[in-house]
Amino acid sequence: MRVLVLALTVALAAPDFDIGKTYAYKYEAMLLGGLPDEGLARAGVKVRSKVLVSAVAAGTFIAKLADPEIFEYSGIWPKDAFIPAPKLTSALAAQLLTPIKFEYANGVVGKVFAPAGVSATVLNIYRGILNILQLNIKKTQNVYELQEPGAHGVCKTHYIISQDAGADRIFLTKTKDLNHCQERIIKDMGLAYTEKCTECRARGKAMKGAAAFNYVMKPAAAGAMLLEASATEMIQFSPFNILNGAAQMEAKQYLTFIEMEKAAVEPIRAEYVHRGSLQYEFGSELLQTPIQLLRISNAQAQIVETLNHLVTFNVAKAHEDAPLKFIELIQLLRVASIDSIAALWDQFKAKPDHRYWILNAIPAIGTNAALRLIKDKFIAGEVTVAEAAQALMAAVHMVTADTDAIKIAEVTNPFLREIVMLGYGTLVAKYCAENPSCPAEFVRVCLVCTCVFEGEFDEVVVALKVLGNAGHPASLKPIMKLLPCFGSAAANVPHRVQVDAVLALRNIAKREPRMIQEVAVQVFMDRALHPELRMVAAIVLFETKLPMGLVTAVADALLKETNLQVASFVYSYVKAMTKNTAPDFASVAAACNVAAKILSPKFDRLSYRFSRAFYFDAYYNPWMMGAAASAFYVNDAATVMPKAMVAKARTYLAGAYADVLEIGARTEGIQEAILKIPAAPEDADRITRMKQVMKALSDWRAHPSSQPLASVFVKLFGQEIAFANFNKAVIDQIMATGPAVHTYGKHALDALLSGVTAHFAKPMLVAEIRRIIPTAVGLPMELSFYTAAVAAASVEAQATVTPPVAENFHPAQLLKSDISLRAAIAPSVALHTYAVMGVNTAFVQAAMISRARVHTIVPAKIEARFDIMKGNFKLQFIPVQGIDKIASVNVETFAVARNVEDLAAAKITPVIPADAAAHVSRAAFSSKISRMSSSLAGAMSQSSEILPADLPRKIANRLRSSKAYERKKCAAFETFGIKACADIESHNAAFIRDCPLYAIIGRHAVLVEIAPAAGPAIGKIEIEIQVGDKAAEKIVKVINFSLEEEILEDKNVLMKLKKILVPGLKNHTESLYRSSSSSSRSSSSRSSSHSRSSSSSASSKSSSSSSARRNTKLQVSTVTANSKASRRSSSSSSNFTSHAVRSKSMYHHVLNGKKSKTLTLTSISGLHFQAKYLANTATPAVTIIIRAERVDHKVEGYQIAAYLDKATARLQVIVANLAESDQWRICADGVMLSYHKLMAKIAWGIECKQYSTEITAETGAVGPEPALRLKMTWDKLPKRMLHYAKYLYHFAQQTGASLAKLKNARNQLKLTMAVASETSLNVVLKTPRRTIYKLGVSLPVALPLGNTAAELEQYQDDWAGKISYMFTKANAAECSMVKDKLITFNNRKYKNEMPHSCYQILAQDCSPELKFLVLLRRDQTQEQNQITVKIANIDADMYPKNGAIMLRVNGVEIPISNLPYQHPTGQIQIRQSNDGIALHAPNHGLQEVYLDLNALKVRVADWMRGQTCGLCGKANGEIMQEYHTPNNRLTKNASSYAHSWVLPAKSCRDTSECYMRLESVKLEKQMILHGKESKCYSVEPVLRCLPGCMSVRTTSVTVGFHCVPADSNLNRSEGLSNIFEKSTDVTETAEAHLACRCTTQCA
């Protein structure tokens, strides 16, 4: 047993190399990348050499390569062979042959030493060899695992050791899991803004790697001798989940013992410096772009050459290869020193084109030196503010974040302060993403506190945005100081700043979600805070991916929520999240499903006028792809315009996600600023009077004013890049630039008159994403994604004005001038996108590259002429010669191998060569065919050249699908001589495997060309518009129609008029039609009947037709609208009920008189009877000619002529083709039959006879309500139109309309809209098979009917004022009172027990502006209500007198006969309305105040919501928080609430005869509170009679009481002076006085 243990111990010793001996090994390493299938192209590198290993001393060894060879591969695997690269081998020979030293003990490689002349790339090749020698052998275990250091980092490694005692060999297998590493050597660039999606990676993998090492060793006395070693490493990658097909990078190494040499390996005579350990060292590949390999010998000269190339070839248009050249320029600049770049700037800064390219390329260098250069040149004044802003904004997002870059960004300049500050936060975020232990000093916590102390809140907002961009956890403390729940400074901080403070927590939540959850929950749960602040806290809370318990807690709190804005917002967010399919929010979606079921019974029917959250996403697990969009709108007062809106888009790809774009806007006060008067009148007396009234209230407090403020912000990838605030000062500043704008306009016109030639080019490195990871060979594997674009445009313009403009011209002069303009513009875009996988070093590249190239150019030459005085407008498009291809897209994937020493020998091989398609499909599918067919019909020989007959058809079709897809589609517009063609070509690898990656790889091309069509050449295309008397002169094609057609039309007219106008002749008319000989009928609707009669029938009617043409109108005496016959013959409409839709007659439109009336009935066919085509009797009002000027002078194009007959109110539009032989045209005919009826007929096709439809629009009534009916009938319509009509039913269901299956008239649509109220409609749509209806469809504006029509009279011709009034009235909040039942603005009902003769504040503007005040008083003798309105500089009293409502303005009674009363400013109107009087002042926020003998009504404008107070409430939609007293205390008792708004009397001798006041009353009974006797005083005011007066009428009110110990000396006049601010201890009833009588001795 001891012998066996000893043998095993010796066998498990690590490899060792004896001192004085040199071990020679044959070494071969190969790295190959591509798709795993044979017959496709791959790219790779191979190194072959002899390796000599010798021991220098104990634990120190030396390694040397002998006879090294480097090979490249770019070909079809496995058919093609590796190609030697002798020039590269020769160039690197000196480095490859240089020995290196390394420490080695017990199988573990230690430090590595090499001369400084050995590059990192060559040293990494040595590391690949040393990595084979890395063996952590445990002498007592044969199977074990550990985290082992290696070239890849410290990764999970498994060992399996076995021994063949007979052969005296030890076999060792070592495997590495490259996905489970403690320290993974990896370099990511351009991924700082992405976040890892752990849950996504749990469902699929984008990249996976593993390595296996096999060793054969021979036991030796001192250890073991390594005889043979091999390594295989496989890395798979796919952006769409590797389970659905992936590209792979395969590395293989072979190390075989050859011989033992006696000569030791000698190091060279150079200093050997410590160069790290076995771990891979990143070198020059960081500066080398993988898409091209450059041999840089003189960077300065190459930069100048590339720059000149870009400037020269991107003037007229963007060159197709400009993006690649721009990337080349960036690569050269990265290699150059900062001094060389500065010298380059000095050389070209005076040349605008060169200067522009340099300024766009410097930010892409991505170093802090480039950032410093931009800053220095701006400080020196060599760069303008606009140039610096653009460069800095790009630089901070492209620069590598380090401490130096952050320090550079710290230095701010007042002109670019905001841009630099935001960039500073971004740099901190990028630095901390790579260095989790980044110092807290970067966030400068003292900045916020200092700005708050100094009251500079604009600076606080900027600081918060910086902290929000940085997302550093250390910034949480200063942010919390601004929040009401955590810091005392919050009391002095404006609300908008607090909102920004909460939003600044979002990026911190990505790093520390639990910390932010604690803060956000506290803010959300505090119901005393502003609703918007709580809603924003909810957004932050959900973004932390809160757990189930927290979601349930939020749902439970929401059940008790009293603010409906908050409840609606959070519930909609919860409900939206239930549909979340993204893996990272799966747990949140599950929790929200539970919460939604708890909350839906209570909140599912809240209106969309409350705040809402929306969320939509789509995630496809097999592809690991997805997208999500969220949107929020916050509305704190249920107004039409939301207060704040935010929209965000997120993308998921390859196990990561990024918030691509976020846009937010605040519109606080904007609606008010637009609709109200420009400024409240500065009337000291008015303000004083109102304030005196308000002082009478108990502890009244004004609401915070809503300052007009608009702000917007934009975020890219979670980083705020720009924001802007617009307040009154900014708007005034913009308005002040009016003269400057006029000056600039004059300069622009002068430039146009003298000719303008401009060229523009904008290059951009859109994306640079790189991931570099080491391989077992020692060469790096790189995954890269690049996108670069160049947009260019050239513009030439020349204008002439006749007569010439004067020096000090006015813009209106141009309206009287003849203006000609010639312009040529050629916008173009070139875009390149590269996806790379392979080897990328400064010496050699071998990679798979997928390249997409897009190039577009749309040139245009335009000549325009505008003669406004003559009504002539002409636009000419001149063909551009030499450019046929306007757009091209080419996508190709190829394998490339090249080295820097022999770039001319670079080899590029398409992944799917066209000539190898058949071979690929057979070779790749041979095994698959065998597997498929064996399960279906037995085994099939793999060498078979014929598909088996019994193979399923689908499989056979798939195997034959390797054929390239080629198609060419063309569309010719012969009229304008243009032919457009699209060539589509695609040849991909999807025939091998049906997955997204294989579908992309291959070759795809789309080419769009514009070429002249077959036929004569086109000189130009002209569009000419002539308006007015000269329109007839522009007519090119005269439309003539035969006399027979008009005669036949006339006969139809007579038949129709008899049917319509003579009741009872319907049967006679039908018999007349049946008696006509040789007639051919077509399908007709109830409103038209077209037939062709025989020649004899036509001639018999010709005389009557001729006589009818001499009359312009046909008048028929009819019975009144109330007669039964009239109802039978009138048009049918609809009467709406809740269950069915019944037919009901429309009222006739009558003229002049009530009994017997003469109705002018003229149908559209009747007008045809006079003149079917107006061209015969009238000249066109407008003529539009669109024509092509051909070399053969043949007329081609279109003519649009519009004819207007004012006498008959008829409009006719005819669209015709100008070609002589083309009879296709469109005929549109419209007529106003009366002020209540319009008819139109639209026909098209050959001579307008193929298709036709008639549309009738008429007003009438449904029951007592006005209505509008639209009816469309047709004889024949294109099938495509009927096909799309089915989507109408789907749309109706989406809008909540009801559908009923009823058979209605064929070939007819009838839409009836009846007025339900001034702001809503009842809608019924009848189709041939369905009836669709919806009641109470809300309108955004009030209809100009009834009272609204009368109210609009004050605006006369002011259409903007009318629209504004209709809008405000439709969205106004209404409060009404009938007897003592009051309905608030929020539709809350309660009983108002009014005290006699005391004024109550019915409604008022509670902002500091005090725009209006409405007082309510009940007369004690008449028991009737009186209203006083204080607004502007008037007091308007409306009161009952002698059974009518009277008006008194400023104490002067105005007779009813003198109404309407118009305020001198025109902003206030008082008029008689129905049985009462109404006051209108919408610009002051008071839409209407109405009073009659039975009821009163107050309506406030929509923008006043949330700013009102009084008996009618705050109009904020919060019905659960309705009863707010003047001191803003929320009470639950309606009577107490109503009494709190009473204006108390000062003394019993007050002329108002109000003998009451509000006071705190003592509870009559003793209370035992907390075990002690207590006396209690009401914390809510109670109405009581004045001293010396006694109550006549009382009522009980329930109020809150505050209690103090009974033995306390406090009383109401001393310690309880602030009783109304005390807390409520108990709630009891108290007696309130409603009427009082005073003695003569009262005080």
Side-chain angles (χ1 to χ4, degrees), residues 376-421:
D376 292 343
K377 295 305 177 184
F378 175 69
I379 295 175
E382 298 180 19
V383 178
T384 65
V385 174
E387 290 173 334
Q390 175 184 337
L392 285 173
M393 190 177 295
V396 295
H397 291 278
M398 294 182 179
V399 69
T400 300
D402 53 24
T403 54
D404 292 335
I406 293 174
K407 290 179 180 179
I408 294 171
E410 275 185 334
V411 182
T412 59
N413 185 284
F415 295 101
L416 301 171
R417 185 173 179 280
E418 293 179 356
I419 294 176
V420 175
M421 290 286 286

Side-chain angles (χ1 to χ4, degrees), residues 1271-1337:
K1271 183 172 68 175
M1272 186 178 85
T1273 60
W1274 63 89
D1275 291 335
K1276 182 181 179 183
L1277 289 179
K1279 292 183 179 180
R1280 187 178 296 272
M1281 293 180 64
L1282 298 175
H1283 172 74
Y1284 288 116
K1286 66 180 182 181
Y1287 294 106
L1288 179 64
Y1289 302 125
H1290 177 71
F1291 174 76
Q1293 290 177 334
Q1294 293 295 320
T1295 57
S1298 301
L1299 274 71
K1301 290 186 177 181
L1302 296 176
K1303 288 187 178 181
N1304 300 313
R1306 292 186 59 193
N1307 297 347
Q1308 179 176 287
L1309 290 178
K1310 187 185 295 183
L1311 175 65
T1312 305
M1313 294 179 289
V1315 175
S1317 67
E1318 289 185 351
T1319 58
S1320 64
L1321 297 174
N1322 294 332
V1323 181
V1324 175
L1325 175 63
K1326 289 185 176 182
T1327 67
R1329 298 181 180 180
R1330 296 283 192 279
T1331 296
I1332 306 169
Y1333 60 95
K1334 187 174 183 181
L1335 308 182
V1337 179

Side-chain angles (χ1 to χ4, degrees), residues 783-832:
L783 299 168
S784 301
F785 181 82
Y786 278 78
T787 297
V790 175
S794 60
V795 180
E796 297 179 3
Q798 173 77 51
T800 58
V801 179
T802 306
V805 296
E807 184 66 25
N808 55 349
F809 83 103
H810 191 274
Q813 182 181 346
L814 296 176
L815 300 177
K816 302 178 181 179
S817 305
D818 186 356
I819 305 171
S820 297
L821 175 67
R822 292 184 179 182
I825 182 171
S828 59
V829 175
L831 183 143
H832 285 195

